[in-house]
Structure formats: C-alpha cells, structure tokens
Amino acid sequence: RQAWLRYAPLPRGHSTPTLPSTILALNSSASSPVYTAGQELQKGIQGIFGKRLSVHATGKQASSAVVGTASQFQKLFGSNPVKDELIEDGFWLNVKGGTVQILGQNERGALYGAFEYLSMLAQGNFSNVEYATNPAAPIRWVNSWDNMDGSIERGFAGKSVFFAGGHVASNLTRVSEYARLLSSIRINAVVVNNVNANFTTVNAENIAGVARIADVFRPYGIQLGLSLDFATPMKLGNLSTYDPLDSEVIAYWNAVTQQIYDHIFDFAGYLVKADSEGTPGPLVYNRTLADGANLFARALQPFGGIVMYRAFVYNQLPDEGDWKADRANAAVDYFQPLDGQFDDNVIIQIKYGPIDFQVREPASPLFANLPNTSTAIELQVAQEYLGQQCHLVYLPPLWRTILDFDLRVDNQSSLVRNVVTGERFKRPLGGSAAVVNVGLNDTWLGSHLAMSNLYAYGRLAWDWTSDSEEILQDWTRLTFGLDKTVVDTITQMSMASWPAYENYSGNLGEQTLTDILYTHFGPNPQTLDNTPWGQWTRADHTGIGMDRTVSTGTGFSGQYPPEVAAMYEDVETTPDDLLLWFHHVNYTQKLKSAKTVIQHFYDAHYEGAETAQRFVQMWQSLKGKVDDERFEDVLFRQSFQAGHSIVWRDAVVNFYNNVSGIPDDAGRVGHH
Ligand code: GCU
C-alpha cells in the first residue's frame, strides 16, 4: 500500500550522505501541507537511514531541512533565497549537504518539494542541487468513477475507497493513504464520484460526507471535486424542469453550490457529463452545451471554482448504413461552433482521441478547434480497453504520441501539450485529468506493475516533456529498490508492453478490437460492426477500415487544420499505424513496410504474443531480487497475460482469415 513511498533502507554498503540534524516545518497546524511535509521528511529519513530527526516549527538551527512557503521563510529569516520565479504550486529546492531549503510558492508546493527531496534520497541520489520547478498547468486532476454504492465503473481493484452503501465510507484511512500518494506526484484535485453521477451525491447527508473526504485531502494539498447529474433539480430538488436557463433551476444550483462551499471552503469544482450515453443535459431543452456549462460556471464563480465540462458528447445510435456517419466527428461538430461562448472558469475536458481510449487513436481534432476556450486532456490510467490491469501496458508512450502531436493550427507549431497547458492559445486555465480506478485492493490498482502508470501520469502532468523511460526507472527504484537488474528488466518489459499489446490486439489504427458491447475485455472483433456504438471497422470480404476522408468518406480528416488534414486525406501520407482509422483499403493494400495489411495483421499478432511470453521469463529472472509476495503476484499476472495474448492472437487472426479468405504467408493461420 505504500507503493512508491516505501522509504526502504538503502542496500547494505551504500554510503550515507550528510543529513540535516533537524527539520523545521514552518506551519504547525495539522491540516497544513507544510506540517504534512515536516512529518513526511521525518518518516522518510527515518525509513531510509534509520535516523529520527525532530521536527520544529520555530528556531533557526544551522544544518536543518527547512520546509515552508517562500513568504513563511521570509518572515522568519528576513530574506528570500528563491532565485527563480515560482508560480502557483511551484517550489524551490536547495540541498547543500545537511542544509536543505524546500520552499513552495504555496504550501502545496512546499509539500511537493519535500517529496522530491525524499525521492532523491530514496534513490541514493545525494547530490547538491539548487533549482526551481513549476507545473506545466494548473489543472492536474484525477477522476474517480466511483459509485455511491461502493462499486466502481470500470474498476478492477475491488470496491471504492470513498463510498459504501450509498454513503461516504465511515473509515477513510485508505483515502488518506491515497491522498499521500497523489500529493507525492503533484495531483491537486480529485473528483471522487463517477461521471455517470448519481443525484444523491449532493443531498445534505452526502455533502456532509464528502466534506469529510475533503478534510482528509486537505493536509495533502488536494482539493475535492464532484460529478453532477444534470437532472438533479428534478430528481432531488422536486422542480418540474432542469432547463439550464430556467430561473428556478439557476437558483437551485446556486443553493447547492453555496451549501457545498459552506462545508468545503476550498471545493475545486464540478465535472459534468451531459447529453452523453443517455445522461441528461441541456440539449434536452434545445439549449446549447455552453448554456449547460455556464450554468455551473456562474454558480461556482463567486467561490473561485471551475467546471470541467466533458467533450465526450455523441449520438450513440448513428446509422451504420450511412457511409458518411461517424461518431468521431461528434465532439468538433458539437463544440467548435460554441468556441468563445464558454465562461472563463469553464474547461472543456477532451479525451485524447476522438473515440474512446483505444490502443491507437489520432489526437482529438477538438484540441485544434477551440482557440478561445480553455481545455484539458482526459487520459485513462484505468486500463479499460487495454487489458484492465491484467496485462502490463505502460501507457506514457501512448500518451506522448498524442501530447507531442503537432496540430499545425494556422500553420504554426501547435503541440497538443501546448494547447492543453494554455500556452498555445494564451488561455489562463488548462491541464489534464486522468481516470484512475483505485480500489480497496492492497495494490490499489489490482496490479503492482500498473502503478507505474499512475506515478507517470503525475510526473507528466507536471512536465509533459519528461522522459517516459526515466520516469519508469524512478518509479521502479522507489517501488522495488536499486538493484540494476530489476530496474533494467522492468524497464525493458514496460517499454515493450504497449507495442506488444497493440500488436496482439487492433493494428493499423483499427481500434482495440476488444469486446465493445459489454466487458471491453478480451478479443471480440465481430462486435465492432453491426452495433449502434459507432466504433465500426467496416470489414468485409475484400477490405477494411473507416473511410474518414473528405473526398469519399465521413469528412473527419477535414476537422484538422489544413496541413494535418492533407496528410490524413491521402493514403500515401497517412502513417501505417493509423491507416485503417482514416482509409478503407483492400486487405492486399501494401503498407510502407511493403507488407500487405492482412500479412501485417498475422505477423504483428504472432510477434505481440511472443513478446508477452518473454515477459514471463524476464520476470522470473528476478526471483530473489523482489520480495516473494510481490514476485508471485506479478508472476501470476504475467502468466495470465502470456496466455491471454495467445487467445487474442488466435481470435483476431482467425477472424480476419475467415473474413478475407487470404492465407498467411508463413502458414500459421487457417486453411490453405
Ligand atoms: C467509456 C466507458 C464508460 C464511461 C464512458 C465515459 O465509454 O466504457 O463506462 O462512462 O467512457 O467516459 O463517460
């Protein structure tokens, strides 16, 4: 349960640095992040070096670790040693042997700095350093899809840490442990309940309940947010409407919001999934999505809260008979015309791709279409379509393909990451949210190795240019110790894992090919077509792929700015890995690799499954270097993945062999 915050003793024989002789934490109030930082430094140094330092709130000892805000330091010492500019949540770290200054722009930043110093020590890094670091964006959120009854939507690790039986859990110990982990990766807010929200979340009892969660979060610098059911005024408030322009509805939400702030003065804001997959929303009353978002924005504005309004709005019953129908078009169709109509405290939260957390998607074109609106990217640490934490899939390389993508708005550099930080369009707000499905399971996510995705999410949300492999190695050392073989092996496995999963699931931009109807787990390519979900592949006897071109298809490629649109419009310039996303081609179409589409399917599936077999041997080579309990747990999961990857391989290659009737050159598949 300590995950990457174990503070394990360094290996025998490792040198000990000059340590501070005391800790000076410049706020002694137990709910303050600076107090937490002092406690954490004490605990960390004791764990790593076996030396218990005392913590003080006053005094001026020479060789001490001082943690606080820059202004608290200034008050006590009469000077401000911070040499660079700090923005909100940023911190300054100055380590000179046993003299350590950890100064935040705010208290939360000070806590982040303490975790950074401890992370260095825990990894045996005793260098003297002096630098400031600031976040890429102010919104670094986690979304929990926890239901009030304690179940978790797409949860793979037990019941909710927040809720049980329709109420907030009575014992919040796990919430506190979770908050500690999240603050160490600089997450600053958590929306605790499911986007498919239950209106009871905001009844009087539950507001008081979530206020207890907020109290547990506060010493870790984490704010609480809530998902709302748009129809609450009717379901809970006994109004006859939930029309966002109705004065009683407006008054209702103002009152609910007031009530929340009465209990939670630092409430972060709302997350809204409206008019999406059957949820109620403004479209029911012929109001715009901007009317819906601004309703909440105005209720929150006096308190400084924000609305994360989700762009995941689509008609889930598009007509498959219509060659030009395309669910992928929905977000831009709905939101682009509203650009400029959202209040300043609205952020449009956009899933990384236009469909739904698939193994490979192009960047959502909506990122290029809202220059006058603040946006955030939505990622999934929950491996909903990606093996549900039963498969090792290290996600940062996938995320980076999106975040580093250049949308070329106005023919200028427009990386997705620079859009969502607010930099590209000079927006005051922006950032990211990740869906994280931790549960009561002792591993949090149901799998030890899956925790690298959570750790990496926080690191990337702070700095999207951080190197995926370096993040992983920090995580591995903190989680499993400093043994080089362990670090190298887990690095090799993890870095090979997303390509392997893509190889044995959906190739060439054809979506994941998992079961779309119910589980989103395991292979089920036949469920993509002939269903109302609009995740079609249009596979028939001769060809496969969605024609999303402007000239002959759904027009989706035209949602990108001209340079990108032109690239995707043409089969020749579309990268192989997105070929079937944008084009309908014959199975015998030649790829840039000179293979045919169908032969690529066969080869990739065999290659991916072979890689998953190797993960088992690689992990086995770590026996004795990782404690038995975690060794066995991971081995079990890797064995499962190895077997399941063969199930995937055979299901997918046989399916396309049957549909196409084209044999495998290597003679592995079907009848010849
Ligand atoms: C996916 C997921 C749903 C979820 C939805 C959303 O479709 O399967 O469980 O509610 O995304 O993000 O709103």
Side-chain angles (χ1 to χ4, degrees):
R1 270 155 64 173
Q2 308 282 324
W4 56 81
L5 294 179
R6 297 162 69 81
Y7 304 137
L10 293 173
R12 223 185 285 276
H14 209 289
S15 65
T16 300
T18 315
L19 290 169
S21 50
T22 54
I23 297 160
L24 188 54
L26 302 176
N27 189 342
S28 58
S29 150
S31 66
S32 89
V34 164
Y35 176 82
T36 308
Q39 299 301 303
E40 201 65 34
L41 287 167
Q42 182 183 53
K43 183 162 151 189
I45 289 172
Q46 176 158 26
I48 302 164
F49 303 106
K51 186 174 163 192
R52 189 172 174 84
L53 306 184
S54 53
V55 187
H56 309 269
T58 53
K60 293 186 186 177
Q61 284 88 344
S63 96
S64 59
V66 187
V67 62
T69 66
S71 57
Q72 287 164 347
F73 188 94
Q74 170 107 39
K75 250 189 225 146
L76 188 66
F77 293 92
S79 68
N80 179 357
V82 179
K83 290 186 193 137
D84 302 289
E85 203 201 329
L86 293 179
I87 63 172
E88 198 179 322
D89 296 353
F91 64 87
W92 161 262
L93 180 62
N94 185 354
V95 181
K96 295 277 170 305
T99 305
V100 180
Q101 293 168 340
I102 306 169
L103 301 178
Q105 190 272 352
N106 53 18
E107 291 218 348
R108 189 190 275 149
L111 177 57
Y112 296 167
F115 278 119
E116 172 110 330
Y117 174 55
L118 288 168
S119 168
M120 286 174 62
L121 296 179
Q123 294 183 64
N125 174 359
F126 307 144
S127 353
N128 286 341
V129 294
E130 185 176 357
Y131 60 84
T133 177
N134 287 308
I139 297 169
R140 303 180 307 279
W141 287 26
V142 154
N143 292 175
S144 302
W145 286 358
D146 293 30
N147 297 312
M148 301 302 299
D149 68 3
S151 63
I152 302 177
E153 177 140 350
R154 312 298 172 187
F156 318 121
K159 296 265 185 184
S160 172
V161 300
F162 299 114
F163 308 113
H167 315 279
V168 172
S170 48
N171 181 345
L172 295 179
T173 309
R174 288 294 297 266
V175 173
S176 166
E177 293 173 1
Y178 184 38
R180 173 173 172 257
L181 289 174
L182 293 180
S183 69
S184 76
I185 53 170
R186 306 175 198 172
I187 299 301
N188 57 9
V190 178
V191 176
V192 290
N193 64 316
N194 192 354
V195 281
N196 297 315
N198 191 301
F199 66 91
T200 61
T201 314
V202 292
N203 70 23
E205 186 217 313
N206 284 331
I207 289 179
V210 294
R212 287 174 35 236
I213 299 178
D215 290 343
V216 170
F217 281 171
R218 198 165 291 115
Y220 292 100
I222 293 174
Q223 290 172 267
L224 179 124
L226 290 176
S227 297
L228 295 179
D229 176 344
F230 206 89
T232 306
M234 230 160 144
K235 295 180 185 165
L236 185 66
N238 292 318
L239 300 187
S240 58
T241 177
Y242 56 88
D243 177 350
L245 299 190
D246 180 276
S247 59
E248 283 190 278
V249 170
I250 295 170
Y252 178 82
W253 283 118
N254 287 344
V256 167
T257 307
Q258 177 70 56
Q259 211 189 336
I260 292 175
Y261 278 93
D262 286 347
H263 285 80
I264 309 171
F265 72 90
D266 54 358
F267 180 68
Y270 296 133
L271 173 63
V272 182
K273 173 180 179 178
D275 297 300
S276 169
E277 304 188 321
T279 61
L283 298 181
V284 173
Y285 294 93
N286 282 322
R287 307 303 187 189
T288 69
L289 302 174
D291 293 330
N294 292 342
L295 166 71
F296 302 113
R298 286 165 200 172
L300 290 161
Q301 196 276 337
F303 305 98
I306 62 177
V307 189
M308 305 293 287
Y309 201 85
R310 291 178 93 224
F312 189 61
V313 177
Y314 70 98
N315 169 12
Q316 73 264 47
L317 300 168
D319 174 10
E320 197 168 355
D322 176 2
W323 186 258
K324 296 189 187 272
D326 191 355
R327 170 175 161 185
N329 286 343
V332 170
D333 286 351
Y334 276 116
F335 283 87
Q336 188 276 332
L338 302 174
D339 185 34
Q341 295 180 31
F342 295 97
D343 283 9
D344 279 348
N345 58 335
V346 174
I347 292 94
I348 304 300
Q349 181 169 315
I350 307 169
K351 288 192 184 187
Y352 62 79
I355 295 282
D356 197 13
F357 305 129
Q358 300 300 294
V359 69
R360 173 83 64 173
E361 293 192 53
S364 169
L366 190 55
F367 293 117
N369 281 283
L370 295 175
N372 303 299
T373 306
S374 296
T375 57
I377 189 168
E378 181 175 314
L379 305 172
Q380 234 188 4
V381 164
Q383 294 171 233
E384 178 184 348
Y385 292 89
L386 302 175
Q388 306 192 347
Q389 282 110 281
C390 297
H391 292 225
L392 168 63
V393 182
Y394 181 58
L395 294 166
L398 183 169
W399 298 337
R400 288 294 296 269
T401 62
I402 306 286
L403 284 144
D404 293 341
F405 186 76
D406 190 350
L407 292 156
R408 306 295 302 162
V409 180
D410 296 330
N411 305 320
Q412 285 170 40
S413 166
S414 308
L415 306 185
V416 171
R417 61 176 143 87
N418 292 337
V419 173
V420 298
T421 59
E423 189 184 319
R424 173 64 181 84
F425 298 127
K426 308 272 173 290
R427 298 297 312 171
L429 286 172
S432 58
V435 179
V436 180
N437 56 353
V438 300
L440 285 169
N441 183 287
D442 271 340
T443 64
W444 295 101
L445 289 176
S447 148
H448 292 291
L449 295 188
M451 290 294 275
S452 59
N453 287 321
L454 178 55
Y455 178 83
Y457 166 63
R459 290 277 304 263
L460 286 165
W462 187 267
D463 176 3
W464 292 113
T465 65
S466 313
D467 184 72
S468 301
E469 195 168 315
E470 280 171 23
I471 296 173
L472 180 73
Q473 296 184 335
D474 286 350
W475 172 81
T476 307
R477 282 187 287 263
L478 295 170
T479 304
F480 290 107
L482 306 189
D483 187 313
K484 195 170 174 311
T485 317
V486 175
V487 175
D488 289 348
T489 305
I490 292 178
T491 303
Q492 280 171 32
M493 291 169 66
S494 302
M495 294 309 290
S497 62
W498 172 50
Y501 190 84
E502 182 180 37
N503 276 341
Y504 62 73
S505 60
N507 314 133
L508 306 175
E510 201 200 9
Q511 300 187 63
T512 307
L513 302 184
T514 186
D515 175 69
I516 288 300
L517 295 181
Y518 305 106
T519 62
H520 299 182
F521 187 67
N524 209 346
Q526 55 270 52
T527 60
L528 277 85
D529 295 286
N530 307 311
T531 63
W533 289 99
Q535 295 189 221
W536 310 315
T537 71
R538 296 203 182 274
D540 62 15
H541 184 58
T542 49
I544 184 168
M546 277 287 279
D547 180 352
R548 290 190 160 108
T549 62
V550 174
S551 49
T552 55
T554 72
F556 171 79
S557 65
Q559 292 189 340
Y560 291 93
E563 290 177 47
V564 176
M567 171 178 76
Y568 288 145
E569 183 72 14
D570 185 348
V571 163
E572 294 308 315
T573 51
T574 303
D576 281 349
D577 55 24
L578 285 171
L579 179 70
L580 303 179
W581 184 280
F582 285 101
H583 301 281
H584 184 81
V585 299
N586 288 338
Y587 293 105
T588 51
Q589 166 88 18
K590 283 253 162 61
L591 300 173
K592 295 183 179 59
S593 66
K595 278 184 193 173
T596 62
V597 165
I598 190 76
Q599 193 57 43
H600 179 90
F601 277 14
Y602 297 146
D603 292 349
H605 279 78
Y606 276 85
E607 202 183 306
E610 259 163 48
T611 306
Q613 313 308 303
R614 276 202 300 278
F615 290 165
V616 177
Q617 293 142 27
M618 290 166 88
W619 184 257
Q620 271 168 335
S621 77
L622 302 183
K623 192 167 173 60
K625 295 180 188 293
V626 168
D627 57 275
D628 289 347
E629 195 182 333
R630 289 189 294 171
F631 176 81
E632 291 300 333
D633 200 281
V634 173
L635 182 60
F636 177 81
R637 287 198 175 249
Q638 292 314 133
S639 307
F640 176 84
Q641 180 177 8
H644 204 211
S645 72
I646 293 174
V647 175
W648 266 97
R649 179 194 75 190
D650 291 350
V652 176
V653 297
N654 285 325
F655 180 77
Y656 288 107
N657 180 252
N658 284 333
V659 180
S660 71
I662 301 172
D664 166 26
D665 284 350
R668 294 161 299 193
V669 189
H671 309 286
H672 308 281

